Amino acid sequence: DYKIAFVDYVDGKCRPDYVYGYQEALAAGICRNVQFQVFGGSAAWQRDGEDVREVSLGDQLRKADTPKILKVILDPSGDFCRAMMRHADQSLTSMFPAGSAGLVLANDCKHARELAHALEQVTGIKPVLATTESGGVKKIKAFRDSSDRWIVAVRQVSEGVDIPRLRVACYLTRTRTELFYIQAVGRVLRTVEKGEREHALFYIPGIQELVDLAQSCFYNRAHEISEVESVGTGLREHTSAAEVRVLGSTGFLSSTITVPQLVPMAARG
């Protein structure tokens, strides 16, 4: 990595003249206090010629197992997704004012359709389906000023989309990049009235990778110069749909993470 021009560095990290991040915006009432609802549970699957594997999301998981576990728990016909969406819908009713709305993020268009069907089954309310196949951009604009309760989308509801009445989101996508994660949380961050103390709920599967992102991505970060050159390996994590047989999953709310109460990663001993 190289230094940024006209920026001061101390011990390899840049020293900003002024920092205005999530914590400052939260104190000013510009952003909501986001509580990450961590959904635990178990997942069971079987590969061809192998024994059945069942794990708890709270266990120490092998990185290679993460795609398989996500394949199981993100199945819209399984218990995990339905339990999460049911709990989110109940929270939307009991904790937020009338007119508030919820967002479900899916893997792709097919997954979004299946999640929308499952959401309608558990809530009795037909959600708005916003994908590239269904005229997503127009539907998102209409949803912003409507009284519709739920919207299911893939990537259309991302950076640049402002729907202040979104107060609850369910992260039911395999995407685990920090950029997309932050953009997704950003959909429920914006306050309706500046200066008002508002909060929002962001539901995530209890995969450690997602929990770690919840704990770290909303703290100010300084540009750092790497001492070791990073070389890409070209390897990809993948799981063939033919080699993994989904056997079932369960879901339950296991904990709540409130961002302002977290210890920044740099301060951990």
Side-chain angles (χ1 to χ4, degrees):
D1 290 350
Y2 298 96
K3 290 184 178 181
I4 301 173
F6 308 111
V7 173
D8 294 328
Y9 285 79
V10 177
D11 296 329
K13 291 185 178 181
C14 74
R15 183 177 62 187
D17 297 318
Y18 180 75
V19 175
Y20 192 95
Y22 174 67
Q23 300 296 327
E24 290 77 16
L26 186 65
I30 295 173
C31 288
R32 292 173 178 146
N33 179 356
V34 178
Q35 296 176 346
F36 288 82
Q37 307 290 299
V38 182
F39 237 70
S42 63
W45 71 91
Q46 184 179 33
R47 293 180 57 144
D48 292 342
E50 296 184 3
D51 294 333
V52 174
R53 289 203 62 191
E54 182 171 359
V55 300
S56 169
L57 298 189
D59 295 341
Q60 188 67 33
L61 306 174
R62 297 183 305 177
K63 187 174 182 180
D65 285 337
T66 299
K68 306 180 187 71
I69 294 167
L70 287 173
K71 177 180 174 61
V72 176
I73 65 176
L74 298 183
D75 179 3
S77 64
D79 292 337
F80 188 90
C81 287
R82 291 169 180 260
M84 180 187 287
M85 293 189 294
R86 183 181 296 110
H87 195 283
D89 186 69
Q90 292 169 351
S91 297
L92 194 56
T93 297
S94 62
M95 299 177 65
F96 300 104
S100 297
L103 164 69
V104 175
L105 287 166
N107 292 323
D108 50 40
C109 293
K110 179 177 181 294
H111 190 232
R113 291 195 302 271
E114 293 172 348
L115 281 175
H117 178 67
L119 180 59
E120 184 176 3
Q121 288 184 324
V122 300
T123 65
I125 300 171
K126 187 178 180 64
V128 173
L129 180 61
T131 66
T132 54
E133 296 179 348
S134 64
V137 175
K138 291 182 178 179
K139 288 189 175 183
I140 291 168
K141 289 181 179 179
F143 181 83
R144 172 189 167 92
D145 300 317
S146 73
S147 59
D148 291 316
R149 184 177 177 87
W150 281 98
I151 183 169
V152 180
V154 183
R155 291 180 177 272
Q156 285 71 28
V157 182
S158 59
E159 186 178 10
V161 174
D162 184 19
I163 309 175
R165 67 189 190 92
L166 283 177
R167 302 295 290 269
V168 173
C170 295
Y171 197 82
L172 294 174
T173 171
R174 290 192 299 266
T175 304
R176 307 193 304 281
T177 64
E178 182 178 292
L179 177 59
F180 183 79
Y181 193 84
I182 292 174
Q183 289 177 349
V185 178
R187 298 317 96 210
V188 297
L189 272 181
R190 185 70 61 86
T191 57
V192 175
E193 296 292 338
K194 183 178 178 180
E196 292 295 321
R197 300 298 179 183
E198 300 177 356
H199 73 284
L201 302 180
F202 195 82
Y203 285 78
I204 60 174
I207 301 292
Q208 192 59 44
E209 190 173 349
L210 297 178
V211 175
D212 288 344
L213 281 172
Q215 293 176 322
S216 66
C217 68
F218 288 95
Y219 283 92
N220 303 324
R221 292 188 174 183
H223 177 254
E224 185 172 356
I225 302 173
S226 299
E227 295 182 0
V228 180
E229 182 180 358
S230 176
V231 180
T233 63
L235 298 178
R236 293 184 297 127
E237 284 187 341
H238 68 279
T239 302
S240 169
E243 67 178 4
V244 176
R245 183 161 62 96
V246 173
L247 300 179
S249 64
T250 60
F252 56 88
L253 184 64
S254 59
S255 62
T256 298
I257 299 176
T258 304
V259 170
Q261 298 177 354
L262 295 173
V263 178
M265 298 293 285
R268 295 181 183 177

